[in-house]
Amino acid sequence: MSSSYIHEVKLPPHYDKNKQYPVIFALHGMGSDERDMLQLMEPLSSDFIIIAIRGPLVQGGGYAYFQIKSIGNPIRELYDASVQGLQHLILELSAQYAIDPARRYIVGFSQGAIMAMTLSLIMGDAIKGIVAMSGYIPQFVKEEYTLQPSPNLSALISHGDQDHLFPLHLGEDNAAFFRSYTNHVTYMPYKGGHTVTPELYAKLQHFLRTDAQVTAEDTKGMNES
């Protein structure tokens, strides 16, 4: 593979390369890593291919996809590079594994949510759905990127009402922006801060299983994965 992005892949039990599986590309928050997202997605690994991708930049004890000048203001060169790199990796891995091109999902938290929203806005039919938890869409993405999301894109956008990094109105803005492109937007404000709550955890599992039309099963709680 030509991509330099470190990533971990978890295949469903009894993986058959002659079948096609829905896939989740999981993107972490600043200072975290791919292992956190791989663990978070564990309850879905029975039916989805899970690919957790590490950000290319060292950030504290973890990693990041970009660095910022201030809250809400990414360094443009680093941001653009990660958008291009992640887009390339998604297409590269889609050719390597038995991935259904009609069921590609991106799940991201914080920086990962920012990347997930951006990628879904520029990759058209290549992305079927996203779960964007506690993020925002940079203004330069809205104004300068070529936006071409699929009208069939499904989006679950969530935000905590006590988020100390990104205020709640950013989640509302995200949902409104996506509703201008697709009718399949679910917005979930929740009681909590910049974190994944048990309620949100159950919601994202149900959302992805329903949208991908995979076998329904009880969603697992935060301590059961």
Side-chain angles (χ1 to χ4, degrees), residues 15 34 40 77 86 108 144 148 172 178 183 200-201 220:
Y15 173 76
E34 72 283 5
L40 192 69
E77 295 78 9
L86 290 170
E144 300 177 37
Q148 52 184 10
E172 297 164 352
F178 272 89
N183 294 323
L200 174 56
Y201 195 45
K220 294 182 180 179

Side-chain angles (χ1 to χ4, degrees), residues 72-73 76 79-80 118 121-122 137-148 177 181:
N73 188 19
R76 179 68 183 268
Y79 194 93
D80 291 347
T118 300
L121 288 168
I122 66 173
I137 308 169
Q139 197 63 30
F140 62 75
V141 170
K142 296 179 180 179
E143 296 177 351
E144 300 177 37
Y145 276 34
T146 300
L147 307 184
Q148 52 184 10
F177 191 78
Y181 289 98

Side-chain angles (χ1 to χ4, degrees), residues 90-202:
I90 287 170
L91 297 177
E92 193 176 62
L93 292 171
S94 294
Q96 181 179 356
Y97 294 96
I99 289 171
D100 183 350
R103 292 186 293 170
R104 280 185 285 230
Y105 297 88
I106 308 176
V107 174
F109 175 74
S110 195
Q111 268 204 3
I114 297 167
M115 289 279 107
M117 289 188 285
T118 300
L119 289 164
S120 71
L121 288 168
I122 66 173
M123 292 185 69
D125 290 340
I127 305 301
K128 174 61 182 74
I130 60 168
V131 176
M133 301 174 283
S134 306
Y136 62 86
I137 308 169
Q139 197 63 30
F140 62 75
V141 170
K142 296 179 180 179
E143 296 177 351
E144 300 177 37
Y145 276 34
T146 300
L147 307 184
Q148 52 184 10
S150 168
N152 295 317
L153 178 75
S154 299
L156 171 60
I157 296 170
S158 64
H159 216 94
D161 63 358
Q162 300 169 47
D163 194 316
H164 64 287
L165 288 178
F166 308 143
L168 181 61
H169 75 81
L170 290 176
E172 297 164 352
D173 292 348
N174 294 337
F177 191 78
F178 272 89
R179 285 186 176 125
S180 68
Y181 289 98
T182 174
N183 294 323
H184 310 289
V185 177
T186 300
Y187 176 53
M188 179 185 171
Y190 59 89
K191 293 187 181 300
H194 196 73
T195 187
V196 179
T197 64
E199 178 189 14
L200 174 56
Y201 195 45

Side-chain angles (χ1 to χ4, degrees), residues 3 83 149 151 189:
S3 175
V83 169

Side-chain angles (χ1 to χ4, degrees), residues 12 20 58 156 187 213:
Q20 287 191 322
V58 174
L156 171 60
Y187 176 53
Q213 298 181 337

Side-chain angles (χ1 to χ4, degrees), residues 66-77:
F66 57 90
Q67 292 173 341
I68 61 174
K69 299 175 185 176
S70 58
I71 294 295
N73 188 19
I75 296 174
R76 179 68 183 268
E77 295 78 9

